[in-house]
Amino acid sequence: MRTTPETVAELIARQWGDHRPGLKSEDTVLSRHRTAQEAAARAALLVDLLPPGAEPHLGVLLDNTPEFPFWLGAAALAGAAVAGINPTRRGPELARDILHTDCRVLVTERAHLPLLRGLDLPGVRILVTGTEEYEALLAPYAAAKPGEATVAPPGPGSRLLLYFTSGSTGAPKAAICTQGRLAAAGDSLARQFAVTPQDVHYICMPLFHGNAVIADWLPALVAGAPVALRRRFSATAFLDDVRAFGATYFTYVGRAVQYLLATEPRPDDREHTLRLGFGTEAGAVDAARFAERFGVRLVEGYGATEGGASVVRTPDTPPGALGRAGAGDDLAVIDPGTGAECPPAVLDDRGRLANGDEAIGELVNRGRSLFEGYWRNPDAEAARTRDGWYWTGDLFFRDPAGFLYFAGRTDDRLRVDSENLAAAVIENILARWSDAAAVAVYAVPDEVAGDQVMAALALREGAVFDPEAFATFLAAQPDLGTKMSPRYVRIVGAMPTTATNKVHRVGLRKAGFRAAPDPVWWSPPGADGYRPLDPQALAELLAAYEAQGRAELLDR
C-alpha cells in the first residue's frame, strides 16, 4: 500500500533504483531512476553555485523540456525553491520577476536567451541548457545521489515553488508553495483519479504554471506513472502526441479545450488511450462536446496555486457544478459590498441560474486555509486574508444543496442598469451557439452610467458571422437575462490568450469596441438586431461619451 509522502524530496528519492519508464519527451524515454539521478546531480551543482547566505531560490525559464522536471526535482532534494519564469514577459517586467523572487541562479535555454539580452540582473548566474559549458558544469556531479547535497534538509515546511499568479492587473504575485502541501496535493489527486504506474500523464500546459506541476507532474510522481512532455501546447498535435506516448491523462486551463474542439474532426478522434482530462474553465457545453467527440470525460476542478480554498467533486455533483467544500474548509459565497452571505441560487429544471444578481458573490474560506503567503508582498497577503477570511477573488454561486458553481473572476463582474452580472455565466450561454469556437465576455463602459456587455467571438473554421442568426440564437436562450445580451460583438480571428491559455482580457477590455481591424457589430439602444459599428457610427458613439463626460473611461 502506498504511504502518504511528507515531502516532494521523498517522492524524488523513491525513484532511485526503479527502472520503469519515468519521463518521455519527443523520441526520448528515461527511467524513473535516471530522472532521480539527473535531479540529484543538479541538486549538488545548485548547492555549490548558491552564494553563502543567499535565499535558496533558482529561476527556471524553460519550455517543457526534460530539464524542467530535473530542476524541480533538484530543488526538492536540495531544500531549495523554483520560481517558474513566464517566457511571455518582456524587458523590465521579466527582470522584475527574476529579481523579486531573489533568484541567484537562472536556468534557461538558447531559444530564450534573446529575452534576457540587455536586462540588468545583478548577482544572477545564468545556466544555458544544451550547451557544452552546461554539460561541463554538470559532469563532476554525475555520481551524486538523492539526499547527499542540501542547502538545508528538506522538510514539509520547506519552500519548493514560488509560482506567479496570473493576475490581470499589477505585477504578478509569487505564491509560496511548500513541499508538504505539494506532496499532499499530489497524493490527493493520485488517489482521486486512481493513478497507477500504467498511466501516462501528458504535460502540455506550461510547467512554469502551477496547473502542470501540481495537477499533472506531482500525481504521476506519487503513483509511479511516467510523464510525457510537450514543449508547448499544440491543438493540432494533441492526438498524435497522445497516441505516440500512450497518454491516459492530461490537464488543461483556460481555452485549451476550445482549441482542441476547433480542430478539424477526424474519423479516428476516439482512437486513443486517454481516459481523463482535469482542469478549469472548460465550461459545461465544451466539456459535453469534448466527451461526445473524443470519448473522454473532463473533470472540472477548483483549487488555486495559493491553496486557500478547494472544491471537491463527489459522485453526486450535478452537471455544471464543481462540487462542495473540501474537508476542513468552510466556504461561503459572500457579497463583497455588505459582507453578508448570498442567498442560494434558484435553478430551473435545466440547471440554469434564475437569480444571478443576488446569488453570485465572492467565494470565501472562513475556516482553516492552506494559504502560505506571497513572497515579499505583505499588502497582497493582507488583502487576500482580510477579516480573518481567505478571499479567493473568484465569483461563485451555491445551490440549495451546497454545490458550488464557478461564475468568473471578481474583476470579470459587470454592472448593467444597476444589475450585477458575471461574465462566465454569459459566456456559458453564448458557448451554446454552434458557430462559436471561443467566447469571451467583458465590460465596456456605458455612455451614460455603469457598463455594457461586450463579447469577443472566435468562429469555427468556415463560419461567417450572421448577425440575424446570432440575434435569433440569443432570443431563444431562456436563461439569457434582459441585461445579459451583448451590446457589442467583436469577431476575432483567434482568441487572444496568455501563455497559460487563459483569455487575455486586459487587451480585450483596453481595445473595447474600438477594435479595428477586427469587425465590431453593435445593437444600438432601442434597435433590433446587430449592425456594423462603422466609422460614422463609431464617431457618433464617441461623441455621446464625450457629451456625458465619460470618454476617459474608454482608456481605463
Side-chain angles (χ1 to χ4, degrees), residues 95-270:
R96 178 264 175 198
D97 292 350
I98 296 166
L99 297 176
H100 171 71
T101 46
D102 295 309
C103 294
R104 304 305 297 270
V105 175
L106 177 67
V107 181
T108 189
E109 55 186 301
R110 285 190 179 99
H112 292 322
L113 283 178
L115 302 179
L116 301 174
R117 194 169 295 136
L119 297 189
D120 185 18
L121 298 172
V124 180
R125 173 75 177 270
I126 298 175
L127 308 184
V128 184
T129 63
T131 62
E132 290 184 3
E133 180 184 5
Y134 181 73
E135 297 303 326
L137 272 176
L138 276 174
Y141 303 96
K145 296 180 180 179
E148 286 184 342
T150 63
V151 177
S158 301
R159 289 191 300 275
L160 177 57
L161 298 180
L162 298 171
Y163 264 13
F164 288 105
T165 61
S166 51
S168 58
T169 58
K173 304 177 290 291
I176 297 171
C177 306
T178 61
Q179 293 213 26
R181 178 160 73 86
L182 291 169
D187 184 70
S188 175
L189 287 173
R191 294 179 189 275
Q192 179 181 347
F193 296 131
V195 184
T196 74
Q198 284 67 51
D199 281 298
V200 177
H201 281 210
Y202 178 53
I203 301 179
C204 55
M205 296 293 100
L207 280 162
F208 68 78
H209 186 255
N211 167 275
V213 172
I214 298 171
D216 215 340
W217 180 66
L218 279 168
L221 197 62
V222 169
V227 297
L229 302 180
R230 173 81 193 181
R231 177 179 277 272
R232 294 180 184 175
F233 173 73
S234 168
T236 55
F238 180 83
L239 273 185
D240 291 336
D241 275 357
V242 163
R243 294 188 183 103
F245 292 131
T248 60
Y249 170 101
F250 76 105
T251 61
Y252 59 87
V253 292
R255 293 300 180 258
V257 167
Q258 290 184 344
Y259 292 143
L260 293 171
L261 289 170
T263 59
E264 189 68 25
R266 293 164 26 176
D268 59 354
D269 277 344
R270 284 178 168 244

Side-chain angles (χ1 to χ4, degrees), residues 180-389:
R181 178 160 73 86
L182 291 169
D187 184 70
S188 175
L189 287 173
R191 294 179 189 275
Q192 179 181 347
F193 296 131
V195 184
T196 74
Q198 284 67 51
D199 281 298
V200 177
H201 281 210
Y202 178 53
I203 301 179
C204 55
M205 296 293 100
L207 280 162
F208 68 78
H209 186 255
N211 167 275
V213 172
I214 298 171
D216 215 340
W217 180 66
L218 279 168
L221 197 62
V222 169
V227 297
L229 302 180
R230 173 81 193 181
R231 177 179 277 272
R232 294 180 184 175
F233 173 73
S234 168
T236 55
F238 180 83
L239 273 185
D240 291 336
D241 275 357
V242 163
R243 294 188 183 103
F245 292 131
T248 60
Y249 170 101
F250 76 105
T251 61
Y252 59 87
V253 292
R255 293 300 180 258
V257 167
Q258 290 184 344
Y259 292 143
L260 293 171
L261 289 170
T263 59
E264 189 68 25
R266 293 164 26 176
D268 59 354
D269 277 344
R270 284 178 168 244
E271 296 175 10
H272 54 71
T273 49
L274 277 179
R275 66 181 180 90
L276 183 69
F278 176 59
T280 61
E281 300 179 53
V285 173
D286 284 334
R289 288 173 177 166
F290 196 87
E292 180 181 359
R293 176 174 167 183
F294 298 107
V296 177
R297 181 172 65 104
L298 299 184
V299 176
E300 287 277 296
Y302 179 84
T305 300
E306 289 98 323
S310 64
V311 178
V312 178
R313 177 174 291 272
T314 54
D316 58 341
T317 299
L322 294 182
R324 290 189 175 103
D329 287 346
D330 176 16
L331 301 186
V333 178
I334 300 294
D335 182 331
T338 66
E341 190 164 357
C342 296
V346 176
L347 304 175
D348 65 17
D349 56 2
R350 300 180 65 182
R352 296 174 176 179
L353 181 63
N355 64 332
D357 186 44
E358 60 177 3
I360 294 174
E362 184 170 351
L363 186 68
V364 172
N365 190 354
R366 301 179 297 192
R368 68 107 174 97
S369 168
L370 298 179
F371 177 54
E372 297 171 310
Y374 294 118
W375 181 253
R376 300 199 191 286
N377 199 333
D379 290 342
E381 277 189 33
R384 186 67 78 186
T385 57
R386 62 187 185 275
D387 302 323
W389 294 351

Side-chain angles (χ1 to χ4, degrees), residues 6-14 73 75-79 146 154-155 160 179 183 221:
E6 292 189 354
T7 63
V8 178
E10 175 188 335
L11 294 173
I12 301 296
R14 283 184 188 179
L77 293 174
L160 177 57
Q179 293 213 26
L221 197 62

